[in-house]
Amino acid sequence: MHIYLGKNTDKKLLLDFLFSLQYLQKELLFSSKNQDILDVIVKKNLAIKTLSQEENAFLHCDLIFMPDETEKSLAKNQEILYYIPQKPQIAKSFLKIIRFFFYEIFDFLSRILLQIFQKKGEKKGLVIIKTDAIGDYILFRNFLKPLNEKYGKITLIGNIAYQELFNTFDKDYVDTFIPINRKQFLKNPFYRLKILFLLKKNRFTTLLNPLFSRDLISEQIAHFITAENKITSTGNTSNLSLKFKKYFDKFYTQILPSSPQITFEFHRNQEFFNTFLNDKNIPFLLELKNPDVVLQKFQLPKPYAVLFIGASNPYRKWSANSFIKVGNFLAKQGLNIVICGGKEDRDTGEYIQKNISHQTSINLCGATSLSEVAKIVYNGNQLLSNETSCVHIAKAIRHDKIFVVSNGNHFHRFTPYPKDLGGEYYGIYHPIVRKNPSAYAIFSNFLQESRLDINAIKAQDVISILKNHLKG
């Protein structure tokens, strides 16, 4: 990886970054006029080569580390990746620390108070914490069946956002499901106490926390639960500072090693659960029952393409006008258009619907459950979606005409899909990601979440790929 050290390079931040990379990159190439920085790096025994010291040396680099304004401007013009750390928000950080200590005390007192309700002498078997997002659950759920077959009764602590999916597909493998409203758990002490009461009623033999990017919610729950063995993986620090991670590590009885390589999330789950399961060939699959029922319920006009316009964060949502341009292209090919998304996308969906011509268009934003979205996609000819949970559902049901618009966040961890998970997956990425995918994978997994503007991806970029696919 070729890294240019900008004029604003901070030694400590650079060394922290390099420390996280030293298992990935045997050879790092640098260019900088700041010789003292290079001296510091060399003392850390990292493999370093220095590029030529020409003024335009950074034009040949994959990443500019902490550029000044001039270097930043040149990087933008040349579509070169650059890293500028976010300025710490002191007030916000202070409030987070205050909230952390408040809930540590709150949980400690709750543990003492609720001890009297805990069933004595009786232990349940396995409790699993899976409180992250819908897409994460889709990439995890296939391990529930073999875990149930081997360990019997399972208690799953999950995100309420995917409860309907769980009830539809996986409830037979779990004895007890405890849904968590993440926002309420962090902000409402009364709701938190209610959840802690449910958690404290039972004792367990084994607790598994398979989250690779553990967060405050998963860690505080793991700390609170009574279990003989508490097991997690080394993981990363995407959602927890290194200090918090070290603090919570102390409450586990076993921390399994995890590969330092950037790994697709389903394979990351395989890495974790291989320790507990003899079967290393668990398929990535979501089996639908009666998928045709949605055709009549929503009066879907076949053939149709699905536009999934929702996403968990605004920066992951492609513009309505871009969806309209692609929707009209698909309509000209004889496809009707079905628009899906969340309740918050209803108005945008209506705007897109009104601007689709040539064929019938239907706006179902906020009108479907997740399992119904799966069936709608299953019956559709094409899916164009933001990089979000719908894509993971589509892959799990083995749909093979999936077109994904993504600004490259967590590249190679959640997108694109590896070939061994079956079917075709067409990722359309920001120009900077397309220019150097390998460098961007390192950047988005080890430095910061993607801040690239998803709308730098043009509708014509998507249409070109669709044309090639239709010709094929």
Side-chain angles (χ1 to χ4, degrees):
M1 184 177 186
H2 298 70
I3 303 174
Y4 180 86
L5 303 182
K7 292 180 181 177
N8 292 331
T9 296
D10 177 272
K11 295 179 184 179
K12 183 180 183 305
L13 289 176
L14 177 62
L15 290 173
D16 288 345
F17 172 53
L18 295 180
F19 178 77
S20 66
L21 286 185
Q22 62 180 319
Y23 300 106
L24 295 177
Q25 298 293 115
K26 294 181 179 179
E27 188 173 83
L28 301 169
L29 304 179
F30 286 83
S31 178
S32 173
K33 293 183 178 180
N34 303 319
Q35 191 59 45
D36 58 326
I37 294 178
L38 288 175
D39 290 342
V40 172
I41 299 170
V42 171
K43 288 177 183 176
K44 291 292 181 179
N45 297 318
L46 292 166
I48 300 298
K49 284 188 178 180
T50 305
L51 296 177
S52 64
Q53 304 298 310
E54 300 171 7
E55 287 291 331
N56 65 344
F58 75 90
L59 295 178
H60 307 290
C61 290
D62 303 312
L63 169 69
I64 303 177
F65 195 88
M66 299 184 68
D68 62 10
E69 287 302 315
T70 301
E71 293 165 333
K72 179 180 173 182
S73 177
L74 288 167
K76 286 182 175 180
N77 290 336
Q78 298 294 326
E79 292 187 339
I80 297 173
L81 198 59
Y82 64 86
Y83 167 69
I84 298 176
Q86 289 180 308
K87 292 181 181 179
Q89 298 176 304
I90 298 174
K92 191 174 181 180
S93 299
F94 181 73
L95 287 174
K96 281 186 176 180
I97 293 171
I98 293 296
R99 185 173 65 182
F100 168 75
F101 283 111
F102 170 78
Y103 277 124
E104 281 294 289
I105 296 169
F106 183 90
D107 291 357
F108 174 76
L109 295 176
S110 299
R111 193 178 289 110
I112 296 172
L113 175 66
L114 297 174
Q115 194 74 32
I116 58 173
F117 297 103
Q118 193 168 60
K119 296 175 182 178
K120 305 297 181 183
E122 182 181 344
K123 289 182 184 177
K124 287 193 172 184
L126 194 64
V127 58
I128 304 173
I129 299 172
K130 195 64 184 164
T131 50
D132 41 5
I134 298 168
D136 299 284
Y137 177 72
I138 295 295
L139 291 158
F140 149 82
R141 54 170 295 281
N142 288 111
F143 297 94
L144 285 172
K145 182 180 179 181
L147 285 168
N148 171 265
E149 291 170 350
K150 184 169 183 178
Y151 293 97
K153 291 184 177 181
I154 294 175
T155 296
L156 177 64
I157 303 166
N159 189 335
I160 197 170
Y162 63 70
Q163 185 172 10
E164 187 268 337
L165 268 179
F166 166 81
N167 287 335
T168 303
F169 297 105
D170 304 314
K171 64 180 181 181
D172 291 343
Y173 311 126
V174 173
D175 182 56
T176 304
F177 179 70
I178 301 176
I180 304 287
N181 183 313
R182 290 175 59 86
K183 186 179 290 186
Q184 290 292 310
F185 189 80
L186 287 174
K187 294 185 176 181
N188 186 334
F190 298 103
Y191 176 83
R192 188 183 184 98
L193 185 62
K194 172 187 169 184
I195 296 298
L196 295 180
F197 173 73
L198 293 174
L199 300 178
K200 202 61 181 176
K201 281 170 57 177
N202 298 294
R203 298 189 299 162
F204 298 90
T205 303
T206 304
L207 176 149
L208 300 181
N209 183 358
L211 276 69
F212 184 72
S213 297
R214 291 182 271 149
D215 59 15
L216 193 59
I217 292 176
S218 71
E219 296 309 274
Q220 289 178 330
I221 288 174
H223 183 195
F224 190 84
I225 289 174
T226 302
E228 284 183 15
N229 303 300
K230 295 186 178 184
I231 304 169
T232 191
S233 71
T234 305
N236 65 12
T237 54
S238 290
N239 296 325
L240 279 178
S241 69
L242 185 59
K243 286 184 179 180
F244 277 172
K245 184 176 179 296
K246 286 182 177 179
Y247 170 75
F248 285 114
D249 279 351
K250 295 185 296 184
F251 302 112
Y252 290 94
T253 57
Q254 188 177 5
I255 298 177
L256 302 177
S258 51
S259 167
Q261 303 293 327
I262 300 169
T263 303
F264 191 77
E265 195 71 359
F266 183 77
H267 296 146
R268 181 68 74 185
N269 287 326
Q270 282 181 321
E271 177 185 65
F272 182 84
F273 286 109
N274 279 348
T275 304
F276 311 99
L277 300 169
N278 295 326
D279 186 0
K280 295 185 179 181
N281 298 307
I282 294 164
F284 176 61
L285 181 65
L286 182 66
E287 297 184 65
L288 299 178
K289 294 180 180 179
N290 304 317
D292 292 343
V293 297
V294 296
L295 297 175
Q296 184 175 354
K297 178 176 180 178
F298 297 108
Q299 295 297 296
L300 300 180
K302 294 193 76 173
Y304 65 83
V306 178
L307 304 183
F308 194 90
I309 65 173
S312 57
N313 292 300
Y315 65 82
R316 297 172 74 173
K317 291 185 178 183
W318 206 34
S319 73
N321 288 329
S322 293
F323 272 110
I324 289 169
K325 290 176 183 177
V326 179
N328 277 316
F329 167 78
L330 291 168
K332 287 179 182 178
Q333 315 309 309
L335 292 169
N336 299 293
I337 304 298
V338 177
I339 306 158
C340 293
K343 292 178 181 178
E344 68 279 6
D345 302 307
R346 192 172 290 156
D347 291 343
T348 305
E350 185 176 343
Y351 172 72
I352 294 172
Q353 180 190 14
K354 287 178 179 178
N355 286 278
I356 298 289
S357 55
H358 305 291
Q359 297 290 338
T360 301
S361 58
I362 298 176
N363 177 21
L364 294 181
C365 291
T368 62
S369 66
L370 287 170
S371 59
E372 287 172 336
V373 167
K375 293 175 182 180
I376 290 168
V377 171
Y378 179 87
N379 286 286
N381 290 57
Q382 316 277 348
L383 169 66
L384 172 63
S385 176
N386 296 312
E387 201 283 298
T388 188
S389 59
C390 183
V391 175
H392 302 297
I393 291 172
K395 283 296 296 184
I397 63 175
R398 301 296 172 88
H399 200 290
D400 62 356
K401 298 177 182 68
I402 304 169
F403 301 86
V404 182
V405 181
S406 170
N407 73 339
N409 203 38
H410 295 302
F411 197 61
H412 284 320
R413 182 176 170 190
F414 293 100
T415 182
Y417 262 72
K419 294 289 185 183
D420 67 327
L421 294 183
E424 292 296 330
Y425 176 105
Y426 303 89
I428 305 100
Y429 302 103
H430 189 284
I432 286 181
V433 181
R434 297 199 298 264
K435 186 177 180 180
N436 196 332
S438 297
Y440 199 81
I442 293 172
F443 175 84
S444 66
N445 284 281
F446 289 95
L447 274 177
Q448 65 186 24
E449 290 190 348
S450 176
R451 298 180 196 166
L452 298 178
D453 181 6
I454 193 170
N455 291 306
I457 303 168
K458 304 303 179 187
Q460 191 56 46
D461 297 336
V462 178
I463 290 170
S464 296
I465 291 174
L466 283 166
K467 280 182 178 177
N468 290 335
H469 169 73
L470 291 170
K471 284 178 184 177

